[in-house]
Amino acid sequence: MPVQQFNMQQPAQTYNPGLSLPTRRIVEHAAFWVGYYAFYAAVVLYGMYKIEDPVFFLQFIVFFPFEIALVYLNIYVLIPKFLYEKKYLQYGSLLLLFICISIVINQFIKNYYAEHGSVYFAVTAGWTLSNLVSTGLERIYLLGLTTGIKLAKDWIQNIQLMREKEKIYLETELNFLRSQIQPHFFFNTLNNLYSLTLKKSDHAPEVVLKLSELMSYMLYGSNTQLVQLDKEIDFLQNFMDLEQLRFGERIKVRFDIEGNTETKKIPPLILILFVENSFKHGVKNNLREIEIAANLTVSDKELIFTISNPVEVIQTDLTTSGIGLKNVQRRLDLLYGNRYTLHAETSHDKFITRLMLPL
């Protein structure tokens, strides 16, 4: 008994009356630098070194522009043009070069203040190794902090952008797949109606009415992401009734429903192609009496749909059963990822399809 199993796997724009993007970025950056240097002055200069002279703090401001320039040079030039381009050697070499330049500028300023009588800078004046290393460590700490913020922010933005692109892509592809289902279904149903008119069947008016209901549902009732399960069931029942009218006593159809279907919703036009496929192969592979048996079981967490048709030869697997089933499998992949299961097997001259969807 062969068994096949398949385990399938534009962002909205809102009006923001607040600050414009450039203004907001300027405010954010200004707040960062004010907070950073306020913390440094309060914790390091005042807290650790007990410096209280206002003149010293005014002199210390002179270092800020050079440190800020180094940070923005790294963020807006080195990281985008070298680090993100995977030019790691060039990035490291240029960053080291600019750190050394910043250390030299910093030391020149300290020496200048020391020569003009600043007792606070006299301690760190002079081209000693300890002074240069100390300044270098400060630069590395600042660059590490700002680089980490830059990388984290870019990573979050890239994740958001990827999700938005994926959402747009999925919506576009789902709409395309659904648009393929409708002409495919109408073609088969109109063939059924044509067969009845050739036979001058008294059931032709009833078929026209049911076909009208089917078309109305497909054109207007299924243009949403989710539909009421009851409406989808009515749609399936109408299709089965049409097939019953078409083949008469040659075919027997049973459709059992278990569970509460009133409050449940599913994607539209998911189940119809399995029903259509079952009729197609049941009729094609069998000249004697045909029985199509469908069962829909609904619980709080899942929906299980099973349908079987008789076969005299091994039926082809679902992946090669035509454009309709390929489309519905693709839709299931896009809608549910790996959260649904689809099984197909041939057992005791019956081809059985079983679909489980989470609710």
Side-chain angles (χ1 to χ4, degrees):
M1 180 180 68
V3 178
Q4 294 179 339
Q5 175 172 332
F6 304 89
N7 288 317
M8 310 296 182
Q9 313 214 346
Q10 151 176 76
Q13 295 182 354
T14 57
Y15 172 68
N16 182 4
L19 298 175
S20 64
L21 180 60
T23 304
R24 188 168 67 250
R25 294 184 66 181
I26 291 173
V27 171
E28 290 173 352
H29 285 232
F32 169 80
W33 289 113
V34 170
Y36 175 79
Y37 285 112
F39 174 82
Y40 186 87
V43 175
V44 178
L45 301 180
Y46 178 79
M48 294 178 60
Y49 295 105
K50 308 301 180 182
I51 299 175
E52 301 179 358
D53 188 354
V55 176
F56 172 82
F57 288 100
L58 292 175
Q59 293 174 333
F60 196 77
I61 294 176
V62 177
F63 296 99
F64 294 178
F66 300 102
E67 296 178 350
I68 293 173
L70 177 63
V71 167
Y72 286 126
L73 178 66
N74 178 52
I75 289 177
Y76 292 113
V77 179
L78 299 185
I79 290 179
K81 293 186 179 298
F82 296 99
L83 184 61
Y84 285 166
E85 297 297 327
K86 299 183 179 181
K87 299 176 181 178
Y88 303 122
L89 181 60
Q90 295 94 319
Y91 173 75
S93 301
L94 288 172
L95 185 61
L96 180 60
L97 173 63
F98 289 120
I99 289 175
C100 292
I101 293 173
S102 176
I103 292 173
V104 171
I105 293 173
N106 182 278
Q107 199 58 45
F108 268 119
I109 296 174
K110 288 181 178 179
N111 292 344
Y112 174 82
Y113 282 140
E115 291 173 359
H116 287 75
S118 174
V119 294
Y120 299 106
F121 288 105
V123 179
T124 56
W127 298 94
T128 65
L129 180 61
S130 61
N131 288 340
L132 300 178
V133 170
S134 176
T135 303
L137 292 176
E138 292 177 358
R139 296 297 179 272
I140 291 173
Y141 167 77
L142 179 59
L143 286 172
L145 175 64
T146 53
T147 299
I149 295 173
K150 166 70 173 175
L151 296 180
K153 182 179 179 181
D154 287 352
W155 180 76
I156 293 173
Q157 289 177 342
N158 286 336
I159 292 295
Q160 293 174 339
L161 182 61
M162 289 175 61
R163 288 177 178 173
E164 290 169 356
K165 287 183 177 179
E166 183 180 8
K167 180 181 178 182
I168 295 172
Y169 170 78
L170 292 180
E171 290 176 352
T172 302
E173 186 167 357
L174 279 173
N175 289 333
F176 173 71
L177 292 175
R178 287 180 59 199
S179 70
Q180 286 184 310
I181 291 174
Q182 292 185 6
H184 170 82
F185 176 79
F186 286 145
F187 174 79
N188 290 339
T189 308
L190 287 173
N191 275 342
N192 295 349
L193 178 60
Y194 179 68
S195 299
L196 289 174
T197 56
L198 286 179
K199 299 175 184 178
K200 295 182 171 47
S201 171
D202 294 336
H203 294 300
E206 183 180 354
V207 170
V208 172
L209 180 60
K210 287 188 175 294
L211 179 59
S212 174
E213 293 175 355
L214 291 175
M215 293 179 67
S216 176
Y217 176 77
M218 294 190 70
L219 293 175
Y220 306 110
S222 64
N223 289 329
T224 58
Q225 292 184 350
L226 295 174
V227 296
Q228 293 291 338
L229 180 56
D230 283 347
K231 293 183 178 180
E232 191 78 3
I233 291 173
D234 291 341
F235 176 70
L236 296 178
Q237 189 66 65
N238 279 335
F239 177 83
M240 293 180 183
D241 291 343
L242 282 176
E243 294 293 83
Q244 181 76 72
L245 289 171
R246 177 188 176 193
F247 294 103
E249 295 181 356
R250 180 187 170 194
I251 193 169
K252 292 184 178 179
V253 180
R254 190 178 79 249
F255 186 18
D256 300 322
I257 301 171
E258 302 176 21
N260 182 12
T261 62
E262 295 180 357
T263 61
K264 307 302 182 184
K265 292 185 177 183
I266 65 169
L269 309 179
I270 284 290
L271 305 178
I272 182 60
L273 287 173
F274 297 109
V275 176
E276 187 181 12
N277 186 68
S278 191
F279 277 94
K280 170 185 172 183
H281 287 283
V283 172
K284 180 177 69 173
N285 294 323
N286 220 302
L287 297 177
R288 51 185 170 78
E289 188 176 272
I290 303 162
E291 181 178 2
I292 305 295
N295 179 273
L296 181 69
T297 302
V298 180
S299 65
D300 290 337
K301 295 184 178 181
E302 66 181 10
L303 174 152
I304 300 175
F305 180 73
T306 306
I307 188 165
S308 65
N309 60 270
V311 289
E312 290 185 344
V313 296
I314 299 300
Q315 185 169 328
T316 55
D317 65 83
L318 290 176
T319 59
T320 58
S321 295
I323 186 173
L325 285 174
K326 289 180 180 179
N327 283 349
V328 78
Q329 286 183 355
R330 179 59 179 158
R331 285 187 68 201
L332 289 169
D333 288 342
L334 295 176
L335 291 167
Y336 293 101
N338 62 355
R339 296 183 298 114
Y340 82 97
T341 57
L342 178 60
H343 301 266
E345 63 177 336
T346 300
S347 174
H348 304 297
D349 298 327
K350 289 184 179 294
F351 186 78
I352 304 170
T353 304
R354 183 176 184 271
L355 173 67
M356 189 284 290
L357 299 178
L359 294 176

